[in-house]
Amino acid sequence: MVLTRYSMQFAKNCSNFLLASIIFLFISLFLLLFPAPSLSKEDKIVEVVETASKSIVNIKTDELTKATGEEKRPSFFRKYFSGEEEVEEISENIGSGVVLDPKGIIVTNEHLIARAINIRVKFINGKEYNAYVLGSDPEYDIALLKISDTVDFPYIKISKTKDIKVGEKVVVIGNPYGLSSSVTVGVVSFLGRNLRIENRIYANLIQTDASINPGNSGGLLLDAEGNPLGIVTAIYSEAKGIGFAIPIDDVMNMLSEFLESSSRRPILGLFMEKRKDEKSAFLYVNGVIPKSPAEKNGIRVGDKIVELNKKKIREGMKLQSIIRSVKGKNTIQLKMLRGSKPYLVSVDLEDIQHYTPVPVDESLCGIRISDIRGYPKLKYKLKDKEGVVVTKVYSGGLGEKAGLRIGDAIVKINNNKIADTANFNTFMIEGLQRNYILYQVKRSDSMFFLPVKLDTLL
C-alpha cells in the first residue's frame, strides 16, 4: 500500500512537471515569436531627439558682406553711404547652436558669427531672443554666445565623454535651410579627419554620413544613447553625404579655457598666415608689432616659423592652445627660417602673457584715432560729442581690412559706448582677450557695424 501510494504521488509529480515544462516551452516560444514591446535603439533615438531638441537653437545673424556663402541669403536691407555711390547689402546667415548652460550660454561655429552685426536665437517652442558674442576661437571654429535675457533655459548637460567608434549610429540635430529641429541619422564614418575648406583649416574632425546641410553648422552630433559627441561644422560641398563635427572634448577644452576668469589671449606680437610648400607647413610672418615680444626677440617680416615648442607646424595645429598649454616652463621656443638659414628664438612666457600692444590704435589696429573735439571735430564735420574719430588708416592693417576710413567715428566697441580714446583702449583690450571686436561706426549720416578679424594675430 505504501509503495502504491508513493508510486501514485511520483506519477502525479511527473505529470505536473511535464505540464509545467509544456507551459514554459509554450510561453518561451510565444515570446520568441511575439516579443513584448521594448525600448529598441530606434525608440531610444526618439527619446534622445525629444530631449535634446529643446536645447538646440536656430541662429540668424545679419552680416554686412554680400550673400555669397551657402548659408547666406539676401536681406531686403541695404547700407547706403551718404554722398557716395557705394551700396552694400546686409545678408542673413543661418545656422544652429547648442545651449550648454541654463543661463543661456550657447556654443556655435565661429564662422557663423565672424561678421555678425546682429544675432537672434530661436528655440523649438518658438521663443526668440537677442544674443551677443562672449568669445570666439577661429582656430577651432567655435564661438560662445550669451542670450541677453536672464531666465533659465533648457540645456544639454555634458558630464563625461565616451570613446567614439567608427560604424556606431549617430544623430544630428540642427536647422538646415532654417528648418528648425531637423533630425538626420547615420554612422560615424571616420575619426581624426583633417581638411581645408574655403581657406579655413579643420583638424581632428568626426566624419559622418548623417545628412548635414546648410544651416546645420553649430548643431549637435549625438550617439544613439544621447551622449553629445561633437558640434557640427564644415559642410564639404564637393561631395554629398559627408558631414563633419568638432569633437566635444576639443569644444569643452576651448570653452573651459575661455570661461576661466583669469584666461586671456597670450600675444607674441606678430601677424601671420599659415602656408604650405612642397616640404612642409609653416607660419609666414607678414607683420610685427613695434615693441612687442616678437620684435624684441628679433623676429622680422618674411621669417618663417617651422616649429613651436618643438612641435612641427601643421596646417591644422591650434596655435593658441599650444601656447596656453605651456605649464611649468619659463619660455616658448620657436624654430625659425630666415631665407634658408634656421635659427631658434626663446620667448619669455611672462612677456607674452602680460603684453598688450601700446598704443592700441596704431600698433594693433593699424589706424590713428583722436577724441572728437577741437580741430578733428571741425575738420571731419562731426556732430557727435562722444566717440573717437579715425584720422589715419595704415595700409594692410586690421582697420583697413575691416573697412575703416579716415573721418569715420567709432561710437561703440562690442556694444560698449566709447566716450574717448581711453575708452577705446579699454574696450579694445577686452575685445582682444575675447577674440572678438565689433565696431559701431558713424560715417556721414550712416550708422553701421564693422567686425574686426583677429585670427591672423599671434
Side-chain angles (χ1 to χ4, degrees), residues 41-111:
K41 184 160 282 191
E42 284 70 23
D43 293 328
K44 182 68 176 178
I45 288 175
V46 172
E47 276 193 3
V48 166
V49 171
E50 287 178 352
T51 302
S53 292
K54 299 173 184 177
S55 308
I56 312 297
V57 296
N58 175 283
I59 296 178
K60 291 183 180 180
T61 67
D62 290 329
E63 299 184 357
L64 286 176
T65 54
K66 292 185 178 180
T68 56
E70 284 187 332
E71 296 184 356
K72 299 173 186 176
R73 56 193 185 197
S75 170
F76 292 106
F77 300 100
R78 284 175 169 78
K79 173 172 67 97
Y80 293 89
F81 295 127
S82 178
E84 303 174 10
E85 295 182 357
E86 181 180 356
V87 178
E88 186 174 7
E89 286 187 349
I90 293 179
S91 61
E92 185 181 83
N93 206 352
I94 57 173
S96 309
V98 182
V99 184
L100 296 181
D101 185 274
K103 299 305 178 185
I105 294 177
I106 298 171
V107 64
T108 186
N109 288 148
E110 188 271 343
H111 74 260

Side-chain angles (χ1 to χ4, degrees), residues 214-248:
N216 267 122
S217 287
L220 190 61
L221 178 75
L222 308 104
D223 67 10
E225 300 298 317
N227 299 304
L229 301 181
I231 300 299
V232 175
T233 188
I235 300 162
Y236 194 43
S237 59
E238 296 180 10
K240 295 183 179 179
I242 298 178
F244 302 93
I246 305 163
I248 202 69

Side-chain angles (χ1 to χ4, degrees), residues 427-442:
F427 294 126
M428 275 297 302
I429 292 170
E430 286 185 7
L432 188 62
Q433 293 171 1
R434 290 163 55 180
N435 274 349
Y436 181 79
I437 295 172
L438 179 67
Y439 290 144
Q440 186 171 346
V441 178
K442 188 171 184 181

Side-chain angles (χ1 to χ4, degrees), residues 109-151:
N109 288 148
E110 188 271 343
H111 74 260
L112 289 176
I113 56 85
R115 302 191 62 85
I117 61 175
N118 184 52
I119 303 172
R120 294 279 293 173
V121 300
K122 183 177 181 180
F123 285 81
I124 191 173
N125 61 11
K127 293 185 178 180
E128 289 192 34
Y129 304 90
N130 290 318
Y132 58 90
V133 178
L134 276 178
S136 68
D137 192 323
E139 287 192 311
Y140 276 108
D141 193 23
I142 289 294
L144 206 59
L145 311 181
K146 174 71 172 67
I147 299 175
S148 299
D149 289 53
T150 56
V151 300

Side-chain angles (χ1 to χ4, degrees), residues 165-415:
K165 297 180 180 178
V166 173
E168 74 170 291
K169 183 171 283 189
V170 290
V171 182
V172 171
I173 307 177
N175 302 286
Y177 303 104
L179 303 173
S180 63
S181 299
S182 295
V183 179
T184 55
V185 178
V187 298
V188 173
S189 307
F190 194 88
L191 296 173
R193 181 71 74 191
N194 301 332
L195 68 157
R196 177 191 285 268
I197 299 177
E198 296 179 354
N199 296 320
R200 186 184 287 267
I201 298 166
Y202 298 86
N204 191 37
L205 297 178
I206 303 168
Q207 180 180 322
T208 176
D209 68 346
S211 181
I212 294 177
N213 295 297
N216 267 122
S217 287
L220 190 61
L221 178 75
L222 308 104
D223 67 10
E225 300 298 317
N227 299 304
L229 301 181
I231 300 299
V232 175
T233 188
I235 300 162
Y236 194 43
S237 59
E238 296 180 10
K240 295 183 179 179
I242 298 178
F244 302 93
I246 305 163
I248 202 69
D249 278 346
D250 288 350
V251 174
M252 298 311 294
N253 286 340
M254 179 283 221
L255 296 185
S256 62
E257 286 178 359
F258 178 81
L259 291 174
E260 289 177 4
S261 58
S262 59
S263 177
R264 58 169 290 153
R265 178 177 182 155
I267 302 173
L268 181 58
L270 58 84
F271 293 97
M272 56 81 196
E273 60 180 294
K274 292 180 181 178
R275 293 186 182 181
K276 190 176 183 180
D277 58 22
E278 64 278 1
K279 294 181 180 179
S280 61
F282 58 90
L283 305 179
Y284 180 81
V285 179
N286 54 24
V288 177
I289 298 176
K291 299 180 181 180
S292 67
E295 186 187 64
K296 290 177 182 178
N297 283 273
I299 298 175
R300 301 177 188 173
V301 173
D303 287 351
K304 299 176 182 178
I305 304 174
V306 294
E307 287 186 13
L308 182 59
N309 291 340
K310 297 183 179 180
K311 295 182 180 179
K312 288 185 178 180
I313 300 298
R314 303 186 311 274
E315 278 196 309
M317 180 179 281
K318 309 305 181 187
L319 305 174
Q320 288 292 330
S321 293
I322 291 176
I323 292 175
R324 289 192 190 105
S325 67
V326 178
K327 295 179 181 179
K329 295 184 179 180
N330 297 320
T331 61
I332 290 178
Q333 188 180 87
L334 302 124
K335 185 177 180 180
M336 315 284 297
L337 285 178
R338 181 166 294 161
S340 59
K341 185 179 179 180
Y343 69 100
L344 294 177
V345 172
S346 292
V347 182
D348 191 293
L349 191 59
E350 289 290 317
D351 284 351
I352 68 169
Q353 287 179 334
H354 298 97
Y355 167 70
T356 300
V358 177
V360 177
D361 57 346
E362 296 192 62
S363 296
L364 177 66
C365 305
I367 59 175
R368 186 182 297 163
I369 61 168
S370 173
D371 290 338
I372 300 179
R373 61 167 67 100
Y375 176 71
K377 184 172 184 176
L378 292 173
K379 180 179 180 180
Y380 299 110
K381 300 177 182 178
L382 301 174
K383 299 176 183 178
D384 304 89
K385 294 181 179 180
E386 294 187 333
V388 296
V389 59
V390 178
T391 59
K392 188 171 183 176
V393 178
Y394 294 95
S395 178
L398 288 177
E400 183 187 57
K401 291 176 181 178
L404 285 173
R405 300 179 184 178
I406 293 175
D408 284 349
I410 302 174
V411 295
K412 285 185 179 181
I413 297 177
N414 294 345
N415 209 35

